[in-house]
Amino acid sequence: MKLYLDTSTDIVKLRLDDQNYEWHPERGRMAEGIFRFIYDKLHENSADWPEITEITYFSGPGSFTGLRIGAAIVNTLADQLQIPLYDHHGIRHQLILPDYGRPANISKPRK
């Protein structure tokens, strides 16, 4: 089963083979509910984690927090299931890094 995940907005988009799903988590609740959302949709398709054969992730640009959460999820799943991981351009990655669409706004150290 192929899994596609997009967490770049406040609507989580999931595709399992040809089945499309959306989840509208409450603000700040994506991280605590995303595994349950994916798990429930797998079970609706009579599948479980080991049946995922590859993952494609929309790596951005988009929401900083959403992309960070999504990248952690897909990187962990691909590593633990030992399956291929692709970005939305079809490029295979060992580890996906989010593309925020602009450089990070990081303050310079004071010292």
Side-chain angles (χ1 to χ4, degrees):
M1 175 171 280
K2 295 179 181 180
L3 182 147
Y4 169 86
L5 186 65
D6 178 351
T7 58
S8 64
T9 68
D10 57 349
I11 300 169
V12 175
K13 296 174 185 163
L14 173 69
R15 185 179 326 127
L16 297 170
D17 285 338
D18 294 328
Q19 297 292 319
N20 293 303
Y21 304 96
E22 288 187 354
W23 175 45
H24 303 258
E26 293 179 31
R27 184 163 173 78
R29 302 288 184 181
M30 184 187 298
E32 67 186 56
I34 194 165
F35 270 114
R36 172 56 62 184
F37 171 66
I38 297 169
Y39 179 79
D40 289 346
K41 298 310 173 191
L42 281 167
H43 277 252
E44 281 181 24
N45 288 276
S46 301
D48 207 345
W49 301 110
E51 293 172 69
I52 300 171
T53 57
E54 70 178 53
I55 298 173
T56 301
Y57 179 59
F58 182 82
S59 56
S63 159
F64 177 82
T65 302
L67 290 172
R68 198 170 40 141
I69 291 168
I73 297 296
V74 298
N75 286 325
T76 301
L77 285 174
D79 178 69
Q80 292 302 300
L81 297 172
Q82 298 180 350
I83 57 175
L85 175 61
Y86 299 92
D87 66 20
H88 58 286
H89 300 293
I91 299 169
R92 188 170 177 175
H93 295 266
Q94 185 73 27
L95 182 72
I96 283 203
L97 298 176
D99 172 11
Y100 302 117
R102 63 188 189 290
N105 184 11
I106 300 172
S107 302
K108 292 184 179 182
R110 293 183 184 217
K111 288 187 175 188

